[in-house]
Amino acid sequence: MSALFTTSVTATGGREGRVISEDNLLDFQLVSPKELGGPGGEGTNPEQLFAAGYSACFDGALNLIIKREKAEVSSTSIKADVHFLKDESDGGFKIGVTLNAHLEGVDEATAKDLVEKAHAFCPYSKATRGNVDVELKIV
């Protein structure tokens, strides 16, 4: 399999560091949230960055499925809730995701069908399948 696109982001300093993309368009200070014992405040965290990537990728996949299915959806939005969880199996941590899908212009059954098809198609969903609990919600 050959790559159609490759990008790079470098992290330094862990959860209290910085992430910078190779083109410098992304340049974020990382700050651990107060809920995890950090200082909170100005900055982002790996979970927010993951939520941003997953929601954008999933919305793109959803819109491709809508086009393929010739469904009449006037707009979509995906809110990804990324949960930082205790992993009881090893005493460490893991993440879970809830994808809250809003599809304007279709009934709930149609929305559910389109979202499930997008979940089967989305590269982030494929990457997390079997590793991360992902819940799909129609909102």
Side-chain angles (χ1 to χ4, degrees), residues 21-43:
S21 63
E22 63 188 358
D23 59 7
N24 295 312
L25 291 176
L26 293 178
D27 184 349
F28 295 117
Q29 178 66 43
L30 298 175
V31 177
S32 193
K34 287 183 180 182
E35 296 87 347
L36 298 180
E42 292 286 321

Side-chain angles (χ1 to χ4, degrees), residues 39-115:
E42 292 286 321
T44 189
N45 57 64
E47 292 73 33
Q48 284 180 328
L49 295 169
F50 187 75
Y54 201 164
S55 63
C57 187
F58 195 90
D59 195 45
L62 178 59
N63 280 282
L64 183 72
I65 295 299
I66 289 167
K67 186 175 182 179
R68 284 184 178 177
E69 298 280 319
K70 297 182 171 86
E72 295 195 24
V73 178
S74 56
S75 68
T76 63
S77 65
I78 304 297
K79 182 178 88 132
D81 297 327
V82 174
H83 316 287
F84 192 85
L85 308 166
K86 184 83 169 151
D87 187 347
E88 301 301 329
S89 70
D90 67 2
F93 304 98
K94 62 182 182 178
I95 60 170
V97 177
T98 303
L99 295 173
N100 301 280
H102 179 77
L103 288 78
E104 194 70 42
V106 293
D107 60 68
E108 188 170 348
T110 301
K112 184 175 188 231
D113 179 60
L114 293 167
V115 166

Side-chain angles (χ1 to χ4, degrees), residues 8-12 18-22:
S8 299
V9 174
T10 300
T12 56
R18 183 164 218 86
V19 291
I20 302 172
S21 63
E22 63 188 358

